[in-house]
Amino acid sequence: MTVDYDLLAKTISALTEGETDAVALMATVACEVHHSDDRFDWTGFYRVTEPDVLKIGPYQGGHGCLVIPFERGVCGAAARTGEVQLVPDVDAFPGHIACASTTRSELVLPVRNASGDIIAVFDIDSDQPDAFTQQDADALGAILTAVFAN
């Protein structure tokens, strides 16, 4: 299944219009993205709750790690650097944190508010190797910007 990102963006926009609560927005985005593609086994947010610390936020899938320091893992790298992490093989990523033993590849995007501050990361795990493309990263990044930075 290939994601219809135009339709996904329109659906999320309609569902989140006028909402300002970040957790409500995260819950809606996680749900819609998770159910948009069979590649997405775990889809959710890790929120910046204190300096250099991410804590689990709204998600879909099995349980996630509760706390991730910025210096560890793929999510930490996205939060620390402010750059998208497109990881085709998590076992080859230095310091990968295995929250789920079935994860083979991962896409993590920083989430910024209107001021440009990183408020969270959006993490998608797949049990398929090399499951994500730059198109996925670009389209999801645009959705996150539309929802959280406006």
Side-chain angles (χ1 to χ4, degrees):
M1 176 163 82
T2 303
V3 180
D4 181 341
Y5 280 113
D6 289 336
L7 178 60
L8 182 61
K10 288 176 185 166
T11 301
I12 289 172
S13 177
L15 290 169
T16 60
E17 185 178 359
E19 182 56 63
T20 58
D21 181 80
V23 173
L25 292 169
M26 289 176 189
T28 302
V29 170
C31 179
E32 291 301 315
V33 171
H34 185 74
H35 294 287
S36 71
D37 195 304
D38 293 338
R39 294 174 295 162
F40 305 163
D41 291 327
W42 193 97
T43 309
F45 291 86
Y46 285 95
R47 301 169 301 116
V48 177
T49 58
E50 57 189 273
D52 301 328
V53 174
L54 296 166
K55 287 198 178 176
I56 191 80
Y59 66 90
Q60 299 277 312
H63 68 82
C65 296
L66 295 182
V67 179
I68 299 177
F70 276 27
E71 69 268 7
R72 296 207 46 223
V74 181
C75 290
R80 185 176 64 252
T81 65
E83 296 173 1
V84 172
Q85 302 294 308
L86 183 57
V87 182
D89 177 4
V90 295
D91 293 332
F93 189 91
H96 173 255
I97 302 168
C99 296
S101 61
T102 57
T103 300
R104 301 273 58 90
S105 59
E106 193 166 357
L107 173 61
V108 183
L109 300 99
V111 180
R112 290 183 169 82
N113 62 16
S115 302
D117 301 317
I118 294 176
I119 60 167
V121 298
F122 186 51
D123 180 20
I124 306 174
D125 296 351
S126 180
D127 63 1
Q128 303 169 29
D130 202 14
F132 306 106
T133 66
Q134 190 60 50
Q135 178 193 5
D136 294 319
D138 294 345
L140 291 166
I143 288 170
L144 293 171
T145 297
V147 171
F148 294 98
N150 290 321

